[in-house]
Amino acid sequence: LDDLRGLRTESNINYAFPGKLPGEQPERKQRNANPPPFRSFRSLVSGRPQPSVKWLINGILVDEQYEHNSGDVIENRLLWPAIQRSDLNSIFTCQATNTLLVEPKESSFVLDLHLKPLSVKIMNPQTPLVADRRYEICCESVGSRPNAIITWYKGKRQLRRAKEEILNNTTRSELSFVPTTEDDGKLITCRAENPNVTGLFLETSWKIEVVYPPIVSLRLGSTLSADDIKEGDDVYFECHVQANPPWRKLHWLHDGLMITHNATARVIRSNQSLVLQKVTRNTSGNYSCSAINAEGETVSNQLALRVKYAPVCATDRITIVGAFRSEALQIACEVQADPPPRLFNWRFNNSGETLKIAKERHVKNGSVSLLHYTPVSDQDYGTLSCWGQNEVGTQEHPCFFQVVLAGLPSAVKNCSINNQTQHSVEVQCLAGYDGGLPQIFTLEVISTRTGRVRYNVTNPDEPYFLVESLENLLHYGGAYDDIGDDNTLKAVIFAVNQKGRSQGIVVKDFYLESSVENRAVLTSSPLDSISPILFGVLLTLLVLCFVIFVRVYYIKATATSTTTTITNVGNDLVSNSKQGSNSKQDTLSKTHTRCWGVEIELRSNRSQQYSSRQQQASQQPCQHQT
């Protein structure tokens, strides 16, 4: 009786084999170099008569060599040195048989493999990337069993902002990241790895290019000390630029204004350096540089340049100081200096002597020295000078003050109006004595009712003024006057100097009023327009009229005693008026006119005697004939 008592199979895994599909290309990066992998399968069988042991793969005989082991155990060891991806899910069968009378006994298993990814690829990478802009990058892996896990790296740092999607035998991962300027030239790596076998991975890398506007920084020359730069020193700046693409223009700025190369002015530009030779106090300020590339323009940090210098006068003119005798003056001497002056000195000079002024008479307040000075006599009028001193040195050119005997300016004179229209007028005067000091001139348009100043204008050179928008002056007053519209304005002119202002002179021909249409017109006041000569003529005429009136009254009072004479005169006038020529008629007409008042008196009182004395009156001439 044949007996096949047992069948047992064993497998021994020596190495995990990644395997390849037919036509698979070499990996881009192989991290581990493994020795030739293989699998060992062993089948143990016992029975009588002695059985034969075979190995079949997918029903195909691959090994029928067996050996007798200890006792009655028959062993067939299958070595499979080249497992392929195609062997996945293959059925391995160990078959034992010792007679045809009994069905062969079999033991089978299905081969399952852990497979390395076949490919990993970054899909459609963009280039170049713009700094500080968000991008989405996709990586896809195929062929891993089980599906691969994808991880992202930037350089050696892992990136975790990714979303993963698995579909059949494909793993897809999408990375969201924002490149920075420091990322230019770095590698973005996508790694696909079998999750069950350490080191069973495939990866690909992408070198990114990041473009960005220039990164600009400004520094003072390395050999210079920012706190120890004085007038006359040489200074240079260095502009450091990092840019992709490279910068194509570089500008230098001083207090926001562009600096150009000027060897004559000792301003030298050389590549990314700026050299300033023999600096002065005017060189102080804020410096910066700007670089331009295709992505934009960037201005660097501002670097303050401080140039120390000895004191100089705040003004380069001689200051005129007017003073009365025994007038207490406070004269301020202001200088510019860096650092501020430590002390001041004063001197007085007239035509006869030069004196140093005691320190007790002046005080220092920052960059200003205040001198207390009182001129008493003519010898106290002259020139004062002051100068300061700081750690850089002593002031080279002192500040000068000319003390003069002065007073208020004289009033202007001979004012006239020119080119007057409904909208504007020009006023021109002659300047008077300036009081020994520089003077300016002011015109004020004043309300005659309220005294409020409606308009003012100043001329620092001469007493000439152009008053415009006359129509607005009256309209302006309505907003401030409490009672009605003030439609009368006058112009007053003053001369002003350091001591005060002169007496105001009213422009006589300036009279401003509003018409029905609320337009401003310039007219002349009836009284103000009368000149002295015309006034004298009018006065003379009034005196003559008064004399004539007294004379007529006297004649009227004596009319009773001279009735006969006057009657004869009247008759003579009547007779002559009928017989005379044209030339005589004019003369008689004048005579008749002058005697008219007396003739009326005659007719009213002596009408009954007119006819009897007519002949006598005609023989006597008129006594009032001229």
Side-chain angles (χ1 to χ4, degrees), residues 70-136:
S70 60
D72 59 352
V73 177
I74 304 300
E75 178 180 347
N76 186 341
R77 185 184 296 270
L78 174 65
L79 299 179
W80 196 259
I83 296 179
Q84 305 289 330
R85 281 182 173 269
S86 58
D87 296 333
L88 178 65
N89 295 325
S90 294
I91 300 174
F92 284 70
T93 303
C94 176
Q95 186 182 82
T97 179
N98 61 354
T99 178
L100 297 177
L101 301 176
V102 180
E103 290 288 333
K105 287 191 174 182
E106 298 178 348
S107 177
S108 301
F109 64 90
V110 178
L111 182 62
D112 190 8
L113 300 177
H114 290 160
L115 301 178
K116 182 180 179 179
L118 286 176
S119 65
V120 58
K121 183 180 180 181
I122 297 177
M123 310 298 292
N124 301 322
Q126 299 184 39
T127 184
L129 305 179
V130 179
D132 301 323
R133 183 180 298 177
R134 183 168 295 279
Y135 291 91
E136 311 294 333

Side-chain angles (χ1 to χ4, degrees), residues 262-474:
N262 189 344
T264 304
R266 297 175 178 176
V267 177
I268 301 172
R269 292 181 52 178
S270 176
N271 197 15
Q272 293 179 229
S273 298
L274 175 68
V275 179
L276 306 176
Q277 297 177 331
K278 305 296 182 182
V279 295
T280 66
R281 64 180 182 275
N282 296 325
T283 313
S284 299
N286 294 319
Y287 287 81
S288 58
C289 62
S290 70
I292 302 174
N293 69 356
E295 295 300 314
E297 179 180 6
T298 304
V299 180
S300 73
N301 56 300
Q302 285 193 341
L303 193 62
L305 177 63
R306 177 189 179 190
V307 179
K308 296 181 179 180
Y309 58 94
V312 294
C313 290
T315 176
D316 56 357
R317 297 177 298 176
I318 298 177
T319 304
I320 305 298
V321 181
F324 306 115
R325 285 187 174 88
S326 301
E327 179 182 358
L329 301 176
Q330 289 186 344
I331 302 175
C333 176
E334 183 180 2
V335 299
Q336 297 174 348
D338 188 7
R342 294 180 296 185
L343 56 90
F344 283 89
N345 292 298
W346 285 83
R347 285 185 183 177
F348 173 78
N349 183 8
N350 58 21
S351 57
E353 58 183 348
T354 300
L355 301 175
K356 183 176 181 180
I357 299 178
K359 295 182 178 180
E360 294 78 12
R361 296 178 61 180
H362 55 86
V363 294
K364 183 178 78 71
N365 183 13
S367 296
V368 178
S369 177
L370 192 63
L371 172 66
H372 299 277
Y373 187 77
T374 304
V376 178
S377 64
D378 291 343
Q379 298 299 319
D380 296 328
Y381 292 93
T383 303
L384 290 167
S385 58
C386 84
W387 61 94
Q389 181 179 350
N390 65 1
E391 67 179 51
V392 178
T394 303
Q395 185 173 340
E396 183 177 0
H397 302 289
C399 307
F400 292 101
F401 301 86
Q402 189 70 39
V403 182
V404 298
L405 181 63
L408 294 175
S410 299
V412 298
K413 54 189 177 181
N414 294 344
C415 294
S416 61
I417 289 180
N418 304 315
N419 300 329
Q420 70 181 54
T421 67
Q422 290 185 344
H423 307 287
S424 64
V425 62
E426 295 180 9
V427 181
Q428 177 76 54
C429 303
L430 295 179
Y433 175 61
D434 60 9
L437 296 170
Q439 64 179 346
I440 61 175
F441 304 93
T442 301
L443 180 144
E444 295 180 354
V445 178
I446 303 174
S447 167
T448 56
R449 182 174 66 82
T450 64
R452 188 188 306 276
V453 177
R454 297 281 184 83
Y455 176 85
N456 68 81
V457 60
T458 299
N459 190 329
D461 301 319
E462 59 177 337
Y464 168 81
F465 308 95
L466 175 61
V467 182
E468 297 180 306
S469 301
L470 296 176
E471 64 273 14
N472 295 331
L473 294 179
L474 291 169

Side-chain angles (χ1 to χ4, degrees), residues 18-27 85 116-119 142 202:
K20 291 184 180 180
L21 286 177
E24 181 181 7
Q25 298 299 321
E27 301 173 19
R85 281 182 173 269
K116 182 180 179 179
L118 286 176
S119 65
V142 177
L202 194 65

Side-chain angles (χ1 to χ4, degrees), residues 9 35 276 298 332 529 581:
T9 63
L276 306 176
T298 304
S529 62
S581 62

